[in-house]
Amino acid sequence: MSKIKKITFEVKKYEFHKPFHVTGSISNYATNIEVVLETEDGAKGYGEASPSFRVNGEKVEALYALESSINELLVGMEVRNYRQIFDLMDKYFASPSIKAAVQYATLDAFSEEINVPVYQILGGARTEIEIDKTVSIDTVENMVRDAVEIYNAGHRVIKIKVGEDLKKDIEAVEEIAKLTSGAKYIVDANMGYTPKEAIEFAKVLYSKGIDLGLLEQPVKATDFEGLKFVRYNCPFPVGADESAKTKYDIMRLIKMEAVDFINIKLMKSGISDALAIVEMVKSAHLQLMIGCMGESSVGINQSVNFALGTGAFVYHDLDSALLLKEDTFRGKYISEPPVFKGI
């Protein structure tokens, strides 16, 4: 086995096929940092950071400036001792997306050296997963049209973004449900509701006979009490996303009995915390989904291999690479939406 020779960062920009609209934010492109880790034996591992100021308070410029300090910290270390590298990268807790990218690049380089896929290094629990696809906030007509297209393309798990207009949100979900019978729905408010609005939203849909698989992050990230209030007054499972970043957040959510689901995103936690969160949530007999920010196929590769390796997730919200204009698919997985397979 060989030591790390150098780590390089490259800023890359990807345009969305159509503007991606969530509560309080509209994105036309994703600006990511691709991380390449090279070993002395010539192996290369790839990772990607997709920073979110809205969620993590990260900026590309600040993350890019970490290249020299991370090289100083890690050059000369053995990739096979990846847990040592994970521990050092945990010190970058304020920069979780770059932490994730470097940690994954380490696993990827180790994978190349021993010729074993990363998902098998992480356990090889599954060989394929089913992903959802997202309907972003738009007019009711456009949201319904997008949902029907997603359904006709074979997806049976549809994620619907809401949170800016309660009345319109209810109408959109109702109309989507009429035309996509048999699908499962993840409805994500991205912190857009008050606790009372979230409960009203859920109860109105329930009264209309619409079943949601998950109501995700209905209230502000810091409103743990509000999240618990929604959970105990909602007919559907309630999940945390923006409230669930580190393993310490998850410990608090578990102790408070505030949620039914935790949404792990490697961009929020890194590989190391994500591994801990999986075991914590399983021990608490709660459920997991895995999500993404604005990763290209290089970044989604990280989450696909993590999900395949651990086999821990009920829902796989890993569609960002499908929403971006990318010249070449570069993931180390087989992309046959709605199924992703290990290779």
Side-chain angles (χ1 to χ4, degrees):
M1 299 300 166
S2 63
K3 299 177 180 179
I4 296 173
K5 179 181 177 182
K6 67 177 179 178
I7 300 168
T8 55
F9 290 5
E10 182 179 356
V11 176
K12 294 199 171 184
K13 190 171 181 178
Y14 301 94
E15 185 180 355
F16 282 98
H17 286 289
K18 60 173 289 187
F20 189 66
H21 185 175
V22 304
T23 302
S25 174
I26 301 175
S27 300
N28 294 299
Y29 57 86
T31 304
N32 299 337
I33 297 178
E34 187 169 311
V35 173
V36 184
L37 184 150
E38 299 181 49
T39 71
E40 291 177 347
D41 284 353
K44 289 185 178 181
Y46 293 86
E48 185 180 61
S50 183
S52 169
F53 186 75
R54 183 182 64 87
V55 177
N56 293 331
E58 295 179 310
K59 288 286 189 179
V60 169
E61 297 81 3
L63 296 181
Y64 188 77
L66 297 174
E67 182 184 45
S68 60
S69 68
I70 290 174
N71 269 276
E72 184 179 346
L73 187 68
L74 300 184
V75 166
M77 296 191 70
E78 295 270 4
V79 291
R80 64 180 172 180
N81 299 327
Y82 60 85
R83 270 293 184 176
Q84 294 179 16
I85 295 168
F86 282 15
D87 288 346
L88 289 173
M89 286 307 301
D90 278 339
K91 298 180 186 299
Y92 289 88
F93 57 85
S95 306
S97 66
I98 209 72
K99 167 182 157 181
V102 173
Q103 288 180 338
Y104 190 84
T106 302
L107 288 177
D108 196 34
F110 182 45
S111 164
E112 289 294 316
E113 290 200 335
I114 64 174
N115 197 30
V116 174
V118 171
Y119 77 90
Q120 291 183 344
I121 294 173
L122 292 174
R126 295 187 186 181
T127 56
E128 65 179 49
I129 55 174
E130 179 185 0
I131 68 160
D132 65 26
K133 197 168 183 185
T134 303
V135 177
S136 70
I137 294 173
D138 205 327
T139 64
V140 171
E141 293 76 16
N142 286 343
M143 291 178 72
V144 172
R145 182 202 64 212
D146 289 348
V148 170
E149 286 181 2
I150 289 168
Y151 183 82
N152 289 341
H155 290 269
R156 290 300 176 265
V157 184
I158 301 173
K159 185 166 185 176
I160 307 167
K161 293 289 188 179
V162 298
E164 290 187 346
D165 184 329
L166 182 61
K167 183 179 178 181
K168 191 197 82 171
D169 293 343
I170 292 170
E171 182 184 355
V173 175
E174 184 179 8
E175 292 302 313
I176 287 170
K178 287 178 182 177
L179 296 174
T180 57
S181 177
K184 293 181 180 179
Y185 307 107
I186 301 170
V187 176
D188 184 5
N190 284 113
M191 309 181 289
Y193 293 146
T194 66
K196 288 184 178 180
E197 286 173 335
I199 293 165
E200 179 183 354
F201 172 83
K203 288 188 174 180
V204 170
L205 290 177
Y206 184 76
S207 71
K208 294 176 180 290
I210 297 169
D211 186 29
L212 304 185
L214 177 62
L215 177 58
E216 184 184 350
Q217 196 63 52
V219 300
K220 297 294 184 185
T222 54
D223 189 5
F224 281 42
E225 292 289 348
L227 200 54
K228 180 177 180 178
F229 182 73
V230 175
R231 184 199 184 193
Y232 276 84
N233 291 276
C234 176
F236 310 121
V238 173
D241 177 7
E242 286 90 343
S243 294
K245 298 174 186 175
T246 71
K247 56 190 174 186
Y248 305 106
D249 295 327
I250 279 66
M251 186 180 297
R252 183 181 173 192
L253 289 165
I254 289 171
K255 285 183 176 180
M256 289 181 64
E257 299 182 347
V259 291
D260 303 289
F261 268 84
I262 297 292
N263 184 350
I264 289 178
K265 291 179 180 174
L266 300 185
M267 297 298 102
K268 297 185 300 184
S269 61
I271 310 292
S272 49
D273 269 25
L275 287 168
I277 292 166
V278 165
E279 299 307 321
M280 292 165 67
V281 172
K282 287 167 63 178
S283 297
H285 302 291
L286 300 178
Q287 294 182 292
L288 286 161
M289 67 179 291
I290 187 166
C292 57
M293 301 290 199
E295 296 97 311
S296 71
S297 58
V298 174
I300 286 297
N301 178 68
Q302 301 166 153
S303 295
V304 171
N305 276 271
F306 188 89
L308 292 170
T310 61
F313 302 97
V314 177
Y315 298 119
H316 305 86
D317 180 30
L318 301 178
D319 62 343
S320 65
L322 305 179
L323 306 178
L324 298 173
K325 296 179 182 178
E326 193 174 0
D327 293 337
T328 306
F329 173 79
R330 299 174 59 216
K332 294 180 180 178
Y333 62 94
I334 298 170
S335 178
E336 297 176 343
V339 175
F340 288 166
K341 300 177 183 180
I343 54 176

